Amino acid sequence: MSVPLLDLMAQYASIRPEIEAAIRRVLETQQFILGPEVDAFEREIAVCCGVRHAIGVSSGTDALLVCLMALDIGPGDEVITSPFSFFATAGTIARLGARPVFVDIDADSFNIGAAAVRGALTDRTRAIVPVHLYGRVADMASLNRLARQANVPVIEDAAQAIGATDAEGRIAGTTGNAACFSFFPTKNLGAAGDAGLVTSDDPDFAEKVRLLRVHGGERRYFHRFVGGNFRVDALQAAVLRVKLPHLPAWSAARRRNAAYYRERLAEAGLDDVVTAPADVPGHIYHQFVIRAQRRDELRDWLAAQGVGSEVYYPLPLHLQECFAALGHAPGDFPNAEAAAREVLALPIYPELTRSQLDCVVERITAFYHGPRNA
Ligand SMILES: *Cc1c(COP(=O)(O)O)cnc(C)c1O
């Protein structure tokens, strides 16, 4: 049996006629840029996310970029964020000439917390960008409290956390000043290409993002701001409208898979070598990420056995070559560096069968305890 890390064909097979009809609908109108599909998508996803304003954009990266642009962030400014995330979280800050100020993650949530952020606030801090890594929402209650005290906006990088909720049951993307989502095909809600979203309850901020999305002009050829082409394609909006109603069931299936893994890993007696993610309510398991001893060997072994896995992320952002000028060295953020050495994402997608999940646990057990115990 082989178990891929992700099988997008399995999802497509379950919704093929709806997807094809949606794409045909757009083709029949030849309206590819903004228009009714995008309007409808934005209305529908705003309801799902429980936010007033949703603005479809070209990618999760551009969602981050346009939010920072809407805050006029630029040279001389600092933005506090996580060193343990996808590159775009910090890349967008640097692209605007601002400085990404990293603070270490908490070892068990993989997210940044208020205590670390407090220590990094300066009079140049212009925003805080927490990441809801792997689909687990950061401790937004304390981060927001701190941000309010410091009078600094919070932009949630919710690219991996659509539909996730925090400890108080509040939906990712509704508690900060604005949030960024990605519909990269492998995300929990994936488009048929690149797409992203900005959400906010602040009408002025939302309006500015809408303008920046179309080169900063209300009327075509008249420009209030220097923006960009950050529009979501109508074709992507149509595909996402089909998938959106399925998302709650897909998230529930991911949670079921996570619970089953946790149970089976505990039974396998691997506690001394493998740590499963904590069981927190509201986690939507964009990834199910274990910490594993001899992680790289385990990954090679699983690959040889037909089990897909991935390391998100092997090198923390503060140690990336492109950020050498920030002057960081190994040891600056020990939790992020340990995570980079130890994490391994296992297959968790909704369509996995019980026997596939069993197979993954058996292969892991065989690696540590020998095939007899598998
Ligand atoms: C995927 C992702 C992004 C970027 O989204 P794209 O749509 O690929 O541009 C940003 N931040 C995080 C945490 C992500 O996982």
Side-chain angles (χ1 to χ4, degrees):
M1 178 186 290
S2 88
V3 190
L5 181 64
L6 178 63
D7 180 4
L8 285 175
M9 285 307 292
Q11 184 194 75
Y12 181 49
S14 72
I15 52 172
R16 187 193 304 257
E18 298 168 78
I19 295 282
E20 289 177 356
I23 289 176
R24 207 171 308 117
R25 189 171 71 227
V26 176
L27 292 177
E28 291 305 325
T29 65
Q30 292 290 298
Q31 169 121 33
F32 296 115
I33 305 298
L34 301 180
E37 269 322 314
V38 172
D39 291 345
F41 167 62
E42 290 177 344
R43 271 196 310 275
E44 289 160 10
I45 199 157
V47 171
C48 288
C49 292
V51 288
R52 284 207 191 91
H53 305 281
I55 304 110
V57 294
S58 29
S59 68
T61 302
D62 285 344
L64 287 160
L65 187 67
V66 77
C67 281
L68 299 172
M69 288 171 73
L71 295 173
D72 287 319
I73 286 171
D77 296 336
E78 297 179 354
V79 178
I80 300 175
T81 193
S82 172
F84 195 59
S85 179
F86 178 62
F87 178 72
T89 311
T92 47
I93 299 166
R95 271 172 72 185
L96 292 173
R99 181 184 177 93
V101 174
F102 299 114
V103 297
D104 207 0
I105 56 169
D106 291 336
D108 54 42
S109 70
F110 298 108
N111 290 326
I112 61 172
V117 171
R118 182 178 294 111
L121 284 167
T122 73
D123 54 11
R124 285 195 290 273
T125 307
R126 297 292 314 281
I128 302 167
V129 182
V131 182
H132 306 318
L133 202 69
Y134 307 143
R136 174 176 171 165
V137 179
D139 181 1
M140 292 304 294
S142 1
L143 285 168
N144 283 322
R145 209 174 310 121
L146 176 67
R148 266 194 307 276
Q149 281 161 13
N151 197 23
V152 169
V154 175
I155 306 293
E156 300 174 63
D157 183 342
Q160 303 187 0
I162 189 148
T165 51
D166 72 2
E168 284 148 22
R170 295 181 309 168
I171 309 174
T174 62
T175 71
N177 297 73
C180 303
F181 293 90
S182 166
F183 307 120
F184 187 78
T186 62
K187 299 282 159 83
N188 287 24
L189 179 63
D194 280 308
L197 186 80
V198 174
T199 61
S200 181
D201 282 332
D202 176 344
D204 298 331
F205 184 89
E207 187 53 27
K208 189 161 181 192
V209 168
R210 273 191 196 285
L211 292 185
L212 290 171
R213 172 174 77 168
V214 289
H215 288 295
E218 256 133 320
R219 273 196 302 153
R220 212 180 306 188
Y221 312 128
F222 295 86
H223 304 271
R224 180 130 68 97
F225 307 111
V226 178
N229 174 356
F230 300 132
R231 296 179 297 251
V232 66
D233 282 330
L235 278 166
Q236 300 306 341
V239 167
L240 290 164
R241 289 182 70 199
V242 170
K243 292 192 178 190
L244 190 55
H246 295 279
L247 185 63
W250 290 338
S251 299
R254 285 172 183 269
R255 275 197 293 270
R256 271 199 304 279
N257 291 346
Y260 188 68
Y261 265 140
R262 220 178 267 113
E263 198 179 295
R264 291 297 320 273
L265 286 167
E267 281 166 17
L270 296 167
D271 297 358
D272 52 337
V273 280
V274 167
T275 310
D279 183 9
V280 289
H283 196 325
I284 45 94
Y285 297 99
H286 171 55
Q287 301 296 349
F288 182 88
V289 175
I290 59 169
R291 284 181 190 266
Q293 278 182 25
R294 294 159 57 210
R295 190 265 321 267
D296 293 333
E297 275 174 77
L298 172 63
R299 175 161 156 67
D300 291 346
W301 159 267
L302 291 175
Q305 311 272 314
V307 172
S309 66
E310 188 54 270
V311 175
Y312 304 106
Y313 298 88
L315 185 65
L317 299 176
H318 65 287
L319 300 178
Q320 295 289 339
E321 187 180 348
C322 65
F323 291 141
L326 296 176
H328 288 294
D332 282 2
F333 303 114
N335 291 342
E337 291 164 34
R341 282 191 302 272
E342 296 169 0
V343 295
L344 192 64
L346 303 178
I348 190 70
Y349 62 89
E351 297 82 7
L352 282 167
T353 62
R354 277 286 155 98
S355 50
Q356 285 179 304
L357 296 168
D358 287 335
C359 168
V360 175
V361 176
E362 279 155 21
R363 301 291 190 266
I364 294 172
T365 309
F367 172 75
Y368 288 109
H369 292 173
R372 256 183 329 116
N373 305 318

